[in-house]
mmCIF file of all heavy atoms in Angstrom:
data_model
loop_
_atom_site.group_PDB
_atom_site.id
_atom_site.type_symbol
_atom_site.label_atom_id
_atom_site.label_comp_id
_atom_site.label_asym_id
_atom_site.label_seq_id
_atom_site.Cartn_x
_atom_site.Cartn_y
_atom_site.Cartn_z
ATOM 1 N N GLU A 280 -31.478 14.199 37.381
ATOM 2 C CA GLU A 280 -32.125 15.041 36.348
ATOM 3 C C GLU A 280 -31.635 16.472 36.398
ATOM 4 O O GLU A 280 -31.392 17.087 35.381
ATOM 5 C CB GLU A 280 -33.641 15.050 36.547
ATOM 6 C CG GLU A 280 -34.402 13.915 35.916
ATOM 7 C CD GLU A 280 -35.909 14.188 36.022
ATOM 8 O OE1 GLU A 280 -36.379 14.315 37.182
ATOM 9 O OE2 GLU A 280 -36.531 14.288 34.987
ATOM 10 N N TYR A 281 -31.491 17.019 37.604
ATOM 11 C CA TYR A 281 -31.012 18.361 37.791
ATOM 12 C C TYR A 281 -29.580 18.520 37.331
ATOM 13 O O TYR A 281 -29.232 19.508 36.657
ATOM 14 C CB TYR A 281 -31.137 18.796 39.238
ATOM 15 C CG TYR A 281 -32.530 18.792 39.811
ATOM 16 C CD1 TYR A 281 -32.888 17.929 40.846
ATOM 17 C CD2 TYR A 281 -33.519 19.624 39.283
ATOM 18 C CE1 TYR A 281 -34.185 17.928 41.359
ATOM 19 C CE2 TYR A 281 -34.804 19.626 39.798
ATOM 20 C CZ TYR A 281 -35.130 18.776 40.840
ATOM 21 O OH TYR A 281 -36.387 18.735 41.332
ATOM 22 N N ILE A 282 -28.747 17.570 37.677
ATOM 23 C CA ILE A 282 -27.324 17.624 37.293
ATOM 24 C C ILE A 282 -27.192 17.583 35.776
ATOM 25 O O ILE A 282 -26.471 18.315 35.164
ATOM 26 C CB ILE A 282 -26.523 16.502 37.987
ATOM 27 C CG1 ILE A 282 -26.496 16.742 39.486
ATOM 28 C CG2 ILE A 282 -25.090 16.472 37.418
ATOM 29 C CD1 ILE A 282 -26.023 15.510 40.289
ATOM 30 N N ASN A 283 -27.907 16.602 35.170
ATOM 31 C CA ASN A 283 -27.880 16.492 33.721
ATOM 32 C C ASN A 283 -28.363 17.738 33.013
ATOM 33 O O ASN A 283 -27.796 18.208 31.997
ATOM 34 C CB ASN A 283 -28.677 15.285 33.266
ATOM 35 C CG ASN A 283 -27.936 13.988 33.389
ATOM 36 O OD1 ASN A 283 -26.708 13.947 33.270
ATOM 37 N ND2 ASN A 283 -28.663 12.912 33.679
ATOM 38 N N SER A 284 -29.428 18.310 33.521
ATOM 39 C CA SER A 284 -29.994 19.542 32.943
ATOM 40 C C SER A 284 -28.986 20.686 33.077
ATOM 41 O O SER A 284 -28.749 21.456 32.126
ATOM 42 C CB SER A 284 -31.267 19.925 33.648
ATOM 43 O OG SER A 284 -31.856 21.052 33.085
ATOM 44 N N ALA A 285 -28.396 20.831 34.268
ATOM 45 C CA ALA A 285 -27.389 21.910 34.469
ATOM 46 C C ALA A 285 -26.178 21.688 33.569
ATOM 47 O O ALA A 285 -25.629 22.656 33.021
ATOM 48 C CB ALA A 285 -26.994 21.931 35.929
ATOM 49 N N ALA A 286 -25.788 20.445 33.339
ATOM 50 C CA ALA A 286 -24.651 20.178 32.452
ATOM 51 C C ALA A 286 -25.028 20.502 31.008
ATOM 52 O O ALA A 286 -24.214 21.112 30.288
ATOM 53 C CB ALA A 286 -24.257 18.701 32.563
ATOM 54 N N ALA A 287 -26.241 20.171 30.590
ATOM 55 C CA ALA A 287 -26.698 20.483 29.221
ATOM 56 C C ALA A 287 -26.677 21.960 28.970
ATOM 57 O O ALA A 287 -26.375 22.378 27.819
ATOM 58 C CB ALA A 287 -28.079 19.900 29.001
ATOM 59 N N LYS A 288 -26.932 22.745 30.005
ATOM 60 C CA LYS A 288 -26.986 24.207 29.798
ATOM 61 C C LYS A 288 -25.553 24.835 29.962
ATOM 62 O O LYS A 288 -25.381 26.040 29.826
ATOM 63 C CB LYS A 288 -27.906 24.811 30.869
ATOM 64 C CG LYS A 288 -29.376 24.483 30.564
ATOM 65 C CD LYS A 288 -30.257 25.024 31.682
ATOM 66 C CE LYS A 288 -31.727 24.944 31.365
ATOM 67 N NZ LYS A 288 -32.319 23.620 31.539
ATOM 68 N N GLY A 289 -24.568 24.023 30.318
ATOM 69 C CA GLY A 289 -23.207 24.545 30.500
ATOM 70 C C GLY A 289 -22.996 25.168 31.845
ATOM 71 O O GLY A 289 -22.039 25.912 32.046
ATOM 72 N N TRP A 290 -23.859 24.890 32.808
ATOM 73 C CA TRP A 290 -23.732 25.486 34.118
ATOM 74 C C TRP A 290 -22.769 24.763 35.025
ATOM 75 O O TRP A 290 -22.194 25.399 35.908
ATOM 76 C CB TRP A 290 -25.093 25.537 34.814
ATOM 77 C CG TRP A 290 -26.156 26.394 34.155
ATOM 78 C CD1 TRP A 290 -25.951 27.287 33.123
ATOM 79 C CD2 TRP A 290 -27.523 26.464 34.472
ATOM 80 N NE1 TRP A 290 -27.121 27.911 32.790
ATOM 81 C CE2 TRP A 290 -28.149 27.411 33.620
ATOM 82 C CE3 TRP A 290 -28.334 25.776 35.395
ATOM 83 C CZ2 TRP A 290 -29.462 27.686 33.636
ATOM 84 C CZ3 TRP A 290 -29.664 26.080 35.419
ATOM 85 C CH2 TRP A 290 -30.238 27.035 34.568
ATOM 86 N N VAL A 291 -22.670 23.451 34.871
ATOM 87 C CA VAL A 291 -21.780 22.658 35.731
ATOM 88 C C VAL A 291 -20.818 21.846 34.886
ATOM 89 O O VAL A 291 -21.123 21.514 33.776
ATOM 90 C CB VAL A 291 -22.557 21.727 36.715
ATOM 91 C CG1 VAL A 291 -23.445 22.498 37.630
ATOM 92 C CG2 VAL A 291 -23.345 20.667 35.912
ATOM 93 N N ASN A 292 -19.708 21.561 35.489
ATOM 94 C CA ASN A 292 -18.677 20.739 34.873
ATOM 95 C C ASN A 292 -18.376 19.587 35.838
ATOM 96 O O ASN A 292 -18.478 19.758 37.030
ATOM 97 C CB ASN A 292 -17.408 21.474 34.528
ATOM 98 C CG ASN A 292 -17.689 22.553 33.518
ATOM 99 O OD1 ASN A 292 -18.158 22.263 32.402
ATOM 100 N ND2 ASN A 292 -17.410 23.820 33.879
ATOM 101 N N GLY A 293 -17.853 18.517 35.301
ATOM 102 C CA GLY A 293 -17.383 17.459 36.104
ATOM 103 C C GLY A 293 -15.852 17.514 36.253
ATOM 104 O O GLY A 293 -15.237 18.517 35.907
ATOM 105 N N TYR A 294 -15.314 16.427 36.720
ATOM 106 C CA TYR A 294 -13.866 16.355 36.947
ATOM 107 C C TYR A 294 -13.257 15.606 35.742
ATOM 108 O O TYR A 294 -13.944 14.942 34.946
ATOM 109 C CB TYR A 294 -13.603 15.621 38.258
ATOM 110 C CG TYR A 294 -14.072 16.429 39.410
ATOM 111 C CD1 TYR A 294 -15.306 16.207 40.016
ATOM 112 C CD2 TYR A 294 -13.270 17.436 39.923
ATOM 113 C CE1 TYR A 294 -15.724 16.982 41.109
ATOM 114 C CE2 TYR A 294 -13.688 18.220 40.963
ATOM 115 C CZ TYR A 294 -14.934 17.967 41.563
ATOM 116 O OH TYR A 294 -15.337 18.763 42.631
ATOM 117 N N PRO A 295 -11.937 15.704 35.559
ATOM 118 C CA PRO A 295 -11.260 15.101 34.399
ATOM 119 C C PRO A 295 -11.556 13.575 34.276
ATOM 120 O O PRO A 295 -11.480 13.063 33.182
ATOM 121 C CB PRO A 295 -9.790 15.334 34.664
ATOM 122 C CG PRO A 295 -9.793 16.591 35.500
ATOM 123 C CD PRO A 295 -11.002 16.502 36.353
ATOM 124 N N ASP A 296 -11.863 12.889 35.353
ATOM 125 C CA ASP A 296 -12.122 11.470 35.288
ATOM 126 C C ASP A 296 -13.559 11.148 34.869
ATOM 127 O O ASP A 296 -13.960 9.945 34.850
ATOM 128 C CB ASP A 296 -11.763 10.792 36.590
ATOM 129 C CG ASP A 296 -12.652 11.183 37.769
ATOM 130 O OD1 ASP A 296 -13.523 12.101 37.580
ATOM 131 O OD2 ASP A 296 -12.449 10.636 38.856
ATOM 132 N N GLY A 297 -14.346 12.153 34.526
ATOM 133 C CA GLY A 297 -15.696 11.901 34.083
ATOM 134 C C GLY A 297 -16.738 11.854 35.168
ATOM 135 O O GLY A 297 -17.898 11.653 34.929
ATOM 136 N N THR A 298 -16.329 12.111 36.428
ATOM 137 C CA THR A 298 -17.264 12.084 37.520
ATOM 138 C C THR A 298 -17.796 13.510 37.851
ATOM 139 O O THR A 298 -17.199 14.509 37.389
ATOM 140 C CB THR A 298 -16.611 11.541 38.828
ATOM 141 O OG1 THR A 298 -15.537 12.381 39.205
ATOM 142 C CG2 THR A 298 -16.124 10.116 38.612
ATOM 143 N N PHE A 299 -18.854 13.584 38.574
ATOM 144 C CA PHE A 299 -19.424 14.857 39.078
ATOM 145 C C PHE A 299 -19.231 15.011 40.547
ATOM 146 O O PHE A 299 -19.137 16.132 41.046
ATOM 147 C CB PHE A 299 -20.908 14.957 38.727
ATOM 148 C CG PHE A 299 -21.489 16.263 39.105
ATOM 149 C CD1 PHE A 299 -21.215 17.422 38.389
ATOM 150 C CD2 PHE A 299 -22.320 16.375 40.171
ATOM 151 C CE1 PHE A 299 -21.738 18.644 38.752
ATOM 152 C CE2 PHE A 299 -22.906 17.628 40.551
ATOM 153 C CZ PHE A 299 -22.577 18.749 39.845
ATOM 154 N N MET A 300 -19.125 13.908 41.265
ATOM 155 C CA MET A 300 -19.037 13.892 42.716
ATOM 156 C C MET A 300 -20.169 14.661 43.352
ATOM 157 O O MET A 300 -19.992 15.676 44.019
ATOM 158 C CB MET A 300 -17.702 14.397 43.195
ATOM 159 C CG MET A 300 -16.530 13.562 42.724
ATOM 160 S SD MET A 300 -14.985 14.110 43.437
ATOM 161 C CE MET A 300 -13.802 13.290 42.400
ATOM 162 N N PRO A 301 -21.399 14.228 43.114
ATOM 163 C CA PRO A 301 -22.625 14.983 43.559
ATOM 164 C C PRO A 301 -22.703 15.249 45.045
ATOM 165 O O PRO A 301 -23.259 16.272 45.434
ATOM 166 C CB PRO A 301 -23.773 14.116 43.062
ATOM 167 C CG PRO A 301 -23.224 12.755 42.917
ATOM 168 C CD PRO A 301 -21.756 12.935 42.562
ATOM 169 N N ASP A 302 -22.170 14.366 45.876
ATOM 170 C CA ASP A 302 -22.322 14.546 47.306
ATOM 171 C C ASP A 302 -21.120 15.205 47.964
ATOM 172 O O ASP A 302 -21.073 15.354 49.168
ATOM 173 C CB ASP A 302 -22.590 13.148 47.975
ATOM 174 C CG ASP A 302 -23.892 12.580 47.472
ATOM 175 O OD1 ASP A 302 -24.885 13.325 47.333
ATOM 176 O OD2 ASP A 302 -23.966 11.374 47.188
ATOM 177 N N LYS A 303 -20.182 15.651 47.155
ATOM 178 C CA LYS A 303 -19.031 16.415 47.649
ATOM 179 C C LYS A 303 -19.519 17.839 47.976
ATOM 180 O O LYS A 303 -20.302 18.392 47.212
ATOM 181 C CB LYS A 303 -17.957 16.439 46.594
ATOM 182 C CG LYS A 303 -16.708 17.200 47.004
ATOM 183 C CD LYS A 303 -15.704 17.153 45.886
ATOM 184 C CE LYS A 303 -14.512 18.049 46.252
ATOM 185 N NZ LYS A 303 -13.685 18.398 45.102
ATOM 186 N N TYR A 304 -19.046 18.362 49.085
ATOM 187 C CA TYR A 304 -19.399 19.742 49.383
ATOM 188 C C TYR A 304 -18.809 20.659 48.350
ATOM 189 O O TYR A 304 -17.687 20.524 47.936
ATOM 190 C CB TYR A 304 -18.917 20.153 50.768
ATOM 191 C CG TYR A 304 -19.583 19.421 51.905
ATOM 192 C CD1 TYR A 304 -18.834 18.904 52.972
ATOM 193 C CD2 TYR A 304 -20.966 19.207 51.919
ATOM 194 C CE1 TYR A 304 -19.467 18.200 54.064
ATOM 195 C CE2 TYR A 304 -21.598 18.545 52.959
ATOM 196 C CZ TYR A 304 -20.880 18.030 53.978
ATOM 197 O OH TYR A 304 -21.470 17.358 54.973
ATOM 198 N N ILE A 305 -19.633 21.621 47.918
ATOM 199 C CA ILE A 305 -19.218 22.553 46.882
ATOM 200 C C ILE A 305 -18.231 23.597 47.472
ATOM 201 O O ILE A 305 -18.417 24.037 48.607
ATOM 202 C CB ILE A 305 -20.409 23.243 46.211
ATOM 203 C CG1 ILE A 305 -20.010 23.865 44.890
ATOM 204 C CG2 ILE A 305 -21.100 24.235 47.116
ATOM 205 C CD1 ILE A 305 -21.161 24.156 43.946
ATOM 206 N N THR A 306 -17.228 23.938 46.733
ATOM 207 C CA THR A 306 -16.277 24.919 47.163
ATOM 208 C C THR A 306 -16.750 26.312 46.780
ATOM 209 O O THR A 306 -17.657 26.468 45.955
ATOM 210 C CB THR A 306 -14.880 24.706 46.545
ATOM 211 O OG1 THR A 306 -14.952 24.977 45.119
ATOM 212 C CG2 THR A 306 -14.387 23.282 46.794
ATOM 213 N N ARG A 307 -16.144 27.283 47.380
ATOM 214 C CA ARG A 307 -16.465 28.679 47.040
ATOM 215 C C ARG A 307 -16.253 28.913 45.578
ATOM 216 O O ARG A 307 -17.098 29.564 44.885
ATOM 217 C CB ARG A 307 -15.577 29.617 47.861
ATOM 218 C CG ARG A 307 -15.662 31.089 47.567
ATOM 219 C CD ARG A 307 -14.786 31.936 48.454
ATOM 220 N NE ARG A 307 -13.406 31.679 48.092
ATOM 221 C CZ ARG A 307 -12.356 32.312 48.671
ATOM 222 N NH1 ARG A 307 -12.594 33.187 49.628
ATOM 223 N NH2 ARG A 307 -11.161 32.060 48.312
ATOM 224 N N ALA A 308 -15.166 28.450 45.011
ATOM 225 C CA ALA A 308 -14.856 28.629 43.589
ATOM 226 C C ALA A 308 -15.892 27.955 42.661
ATOM 227 O O ALA A 308 -16.336 28.511 41.672
ATOM 228 C CB ALA A 308 -13.491 28.096 43.267
ATOM 229 N N GLU A 309 -16.290 26.747 43.028
ATOM 230 C CA GLU A 309 -17.333 26.043 42.254
ATOM 231 C C GLU A 309 -18.643 26.758 42.343
ATOM 232 O O GLU A 309 -19.383 26.833 41.319
ATOM 233 C CB GLU A 309 -17.439 24.602 42.716
ATOM 234 C CG GLU A 309 -16.231 23.726 42.447
ATOM 235 C CD GLU A 309 -16.214 22.394 43.164
ATOM 236 O OE1 GLU A 309 -16.904 22.269 44.234
ATOM 237 O OE2 GLU A 309 -15.507 21.477 42.701
ATOM 238 N N PHE A 310 -18.999 27.220 43.527
ATOM 239 C CA PHE A 310 -20.280 27.939 43.676
ATOM 240 C C PHE A 310 -20.295 29.189 42.801
ATOM 241 O O PHE A 310 -21.249 29.382 42.042
ATOM 242 C CB PHE A 310 -20.439 28.302 45.140
ATOM 243 C CG PHE A 310 -21.731 28.997 45.467
ATOM 244 C CD1 PHE A 310 -22.817 28.247 45.968
ATOM 245 C CD2 PHE A 310 -21.952 30.342 45.258
ATOM 246 C CE1 PHE A 310 -24.027 28.844 46.272
ATOM 247 C CE2 PHE A 310 -23.161 30.936 45.562
ATOM 248 C CZ PHE A 310 -24.205 30.202 46.077
#
């Protein structure tokens, strides 16, 4: 729910293959 909401607001993006990789550690750039 949080990921979908953040995506709807334009806060997060996924990867070119359509994934989000939710359990991947976030990088400094992504943060």
Side-chain angles (χ1 to χ4, degrees):
E280 273 188 302
Y281 298 117
I282 295 166
N283 280 328
S284 181
K288 291 177 171 78
W290 295 350
V291 298
N292 296 303
Y294 293 97
D296 66 357
T298 62
F299 184 72
M300 298 186 194
D302 297 319
K303 179 181 175 197
Y304 293 136
I305 197 162
T306 67
R307 175 179 69 177
E309 291 168 338
F310 184 96

